[in-house]
Amino acid sequence: MDRPLERPDDRSRRWLFAAAIYTLVTVVCLATTARERLTTHTPFNHFALLADAWLHGRLDLGGPPPAYTGNNDFVMWGGKHYVSFPPFPAVLLLPAVKLAGSVERVRDGQIFALFTGLAPALLYLGLDALARAGRTGRSERENVLLSLLFAFGTVYWFSAVQGTVWFAAHVVGAALAALYLFASVGAAHPILAGFAIGLGFATRTPLGFAFPLFMYEAVRASARSGASGRVRLADVDARALAKKLALFAAPAAAVLGVLLWYNAARFGDPFEFGHRLLAITWRARIERWGLFSYHYLGRNLGVILTSLPYAGVSGAPFQINAHGLALWITTPLYAWVLWPRRTPPSFWAVALTAACVALPSLLYQNSGWIQFGYRFSNDFAVFLFALLALGRRRLGGFFWAFAVISVLVNAFGAVTFQRDGYGRFYFVDPTQKILHQPD
């Protein structure tokens, strides 16, 4: 039987722990961020440029992007230049751009660094909600440690210290994914869950496919018997379910409606988000195979499962392909997701959610290049950590040994990736065709 979600004596304690996690993670990320990322604008400050365009009443940039961007990942359409990335992170920069009066005066990397502690803190609240609902049996200590492992034992760490457009989106997206997890447990906060998934889609498109979790929780919460575990549809109060789904769908639909209008205003097509129009070297493959295709699946799986460090290279003990290390190398503790002690319906609902979020990236034309590890896993890592908790496998000595390895590997990525003096550790092939070490 599920336990009540709320206990009046521990709400302030939960928020205190969340605040402590936020503070610790943010301080560590600031300490491991390159100084130039904090003291000036990043070279790829697309979100600040987009916010500035909006403040000037434009949807395009009003001219070519600044030379310091190298024209990297912009859209040229109808003689105008656009930022094609999902726009919500630019909304967060609007006040700073307005106050600064100039894009170049906005330290976008510093601002996004202040968001880095949100995802781990919100993940803790989500794991705590699952524990209080009787789903995981995890202790407060375990939930805190799992949240910190998400921050420092996954590719989130190296992503969080970059500050540039691609990685800033992951920081914001992971926070929205964690907020969605928290709001979905017991379908307790349907409006908040709807906003989280909608804004997640407006930040990292794959997050829009995370809807199975809330749907399952809404069905479970609407059961007349209030029973835990498996719920028969015949036991579901249809009116209560419809209300929860409507409250969830309304804010998500509102965000989607704004995005569709935004696309139509820019490109004349509400379903054209712009990435298909990017002025990039591999535009030809997009035109041939599409932005998403089974054609890309083998390569993307190759990165996730088989991308190993190069051995026997000159000038360094090893090199890492810019496609990134395999997921089981950067975060070997994910093995516990595949080895659960119990698999209740909640486990499978979260597993389906993780799979739905992962699938678009598996079929995407880009593996995430350039990266230390598979950065697209940031989109579904929150759900994998929920699975670690839901599986109820004891977190014993082997788990914590692998956790330490995960932290050490990701610490190396955080302090070396795209840093001066560490280029010898990375192999960058501009064609993106070399995945494994050449003979």
Side-chain angles (χ1 to χ4, degrees):
M1 182 70 66
D2 288 3
R3 294 195 297 268
L5 281 175
E6 293 293 338
R7 292 189 308 194
D9 60 337
D10 64 358
R11 177 175 295 183
S12 59
R13 181 181 177 88
R14 294 197 301 273
W15 285 98
L16 181 63
F17 272 104
I21 291 169
Y22 166 82
T23 302
L24 175 61
V25 173
T26 302
V27 168
V28 172
C29 286
L30 284 169
T32 51
T33 297
R35 184 174 181 275
E36 62 272 15
R37 289 288 194 261
L38 302 175
T39 57
T40 185
H41 67 82
T42 69
F44 307 114
N45 56 346
H46 296 47
F47 291 129
L49 292 169
L50 181 56
D52 184 66
W54 291 341
L55 290 171
H56 286 86
R58 309 184 64 100
L59 298 180
D60 67 291
L61 295 181
Y68 59 73
T69 66
N71 199 28
N72 192 350
D73 274 3
F74 290 92
V75 166
M76 178 71 171
W77 176 258
K80 298 179 179 180
H81 295 82
Y82 296 90
V83 172
S84 73
F85 293 97
F88 180 64
V91 176
L92 300 176
L93 289 184
L94 276 170
V97 175
K98 178 66 174 178
L99 290 173
S102 154
V103 172
E104 283 69 29
R105 294 175 62 184
V106 176
R107 300 176 181 178
D108 54 309
Q110 182 183 105
I111 294 171
F112 285 120
L114 297 177
F115 285 89
T116 54
L118 282 178
L122 290 168
L123 174 59
Y124 164 74
L125 292 175
L127 296 178
D128 177 78
L130 287 170
R132 286 183 290 112
R135 312 283 185 85
T136 68
R138 297 298 179 191
S139 67
E140 187 175 68
R141 174 179 174 273
E142 287 177 318
N143 289 333
V144 169
L145 290 173
L146 285 174
S147 302
L148 293 175
L149 281 176
F150 166 83
F152 302 123
T154 74
V155 296
Y156 181 80
W157 192 358
F158 103 89
S159 302
V161 300
Q162 301 307 311
T164 50
V165 58
W166 309 276
F167 301 99
H170 285 304
V171 169
V172 177
L176 290 167
L179 179 62
Y180 171 70
L181 172 67
F182 165 73
S184 294
V185 177
H189 308 285
I191 295 176
L192 184 59
F195 271 118
I197 197 172
L199 295 176
F201 183 74
T203 301
R204 287 286 308 159
T205 306
L207 289 175
F209 297 90
F211 57 86
L213 173 59
F214 185 85
M215 294 182 67
Y216 166 77
E217 292 291 334
V219 169
R220 181 187 181 114
S222 302
R224 292 187 183 91
S225 63
S228 61
R230 302 184 187 278
V231 176
R232 298 182 305 169
L233 290 179
D235 296 329
V236 173
D237 183 333
R239 180 175 296 181
L241 175 60
K243 181 179 179 180
K244 290 182 182 297
L245 293 179
L247 290 174
F248 169 71
V255 174
L256 179 60
V258 171
L259 291 176
L260 296 179
W261 168 85
Y262 184 57
N263 292 339
R266 293 184 299 167
F267 307 125
D269 181 351
F271 300 103
E272 178 52 72
F273 285 82
H275 257 46
R276 189 174 58 86
L277 308 173
L278 286 173
I280 51 180
T281 304
W282 34 94
R283 173 80 171 269
R285 77 179 178 213
I286 297 176
E287 292 176 348
R288 179 179 181 185
W289 299 104
L291 200 60
F292 299 91
S293 171
Y294 168 80
H295 173 76
Y296 309 122
L297 180 60
R299 182 192 60 190
N300 290 332
L301 287 175
V303 171
I304 296 171
L305 300 176
T306 70
S307 185
L308 306 178
Y310 293 178
V313 297
S314 60
F318 58 85
Q319 280 189 333
I320 298 167
N321 192 317
H323 280 288
L325 292 171
L327 199 57
W328 59 271
I329 294 179
T330 56
T331 311
L333 58 84
Y334 281 148
W336 271 253
V337 172
L338 304 175
W339 190 37
R341 182 167 174 259
R342 291 180 56 189
T343 55
S346 295
F347 182 94
W348 294 114
V350 176
L352 177 61
T353 300
C356 288
V357 174
L359 184 59
S361 295
L362 290 175
L363 301 176
Y364 185 54
Q365 62 87 21
N366 191 312
S367 65
W369 186 93
I370 296 174
Q371 58 190 354
F372 166 73
Y374 185 63
R375 65 181 176 90
F376 291 156
S377 65
N378 284 309
D379 296 331
F380 53 86
V382 161
F383 305 112
L384 295 185
F385 271 78
L387 290 175
L388 284 174
L390 286 163
R392 294 195 179 230
R393 176 67 60 183
R394 178 177 173 270
L395 305 182
F398 278 113
F399 177 86
W400 296 114
F402 277 92
V404 169
I405 293 172
S406 298
V407 171
L408 292 176
V409 170
N410 286 285
F412 178 83
V415 300
T416 65
F417 179 73
Q418 294 197 325
R419 299 288 186 94
D420 292 340
Y422 292 97
R424 66 187 184 279
F425 290 104
Y426 294 89
F427 175 82
V428 181
D429 165 43
T431 71
Q432 295 193 15
K433 294 180 178 179
I434 299 177
L435 177 57
H436 301 108
Q437 186 170 11
D439 294 333

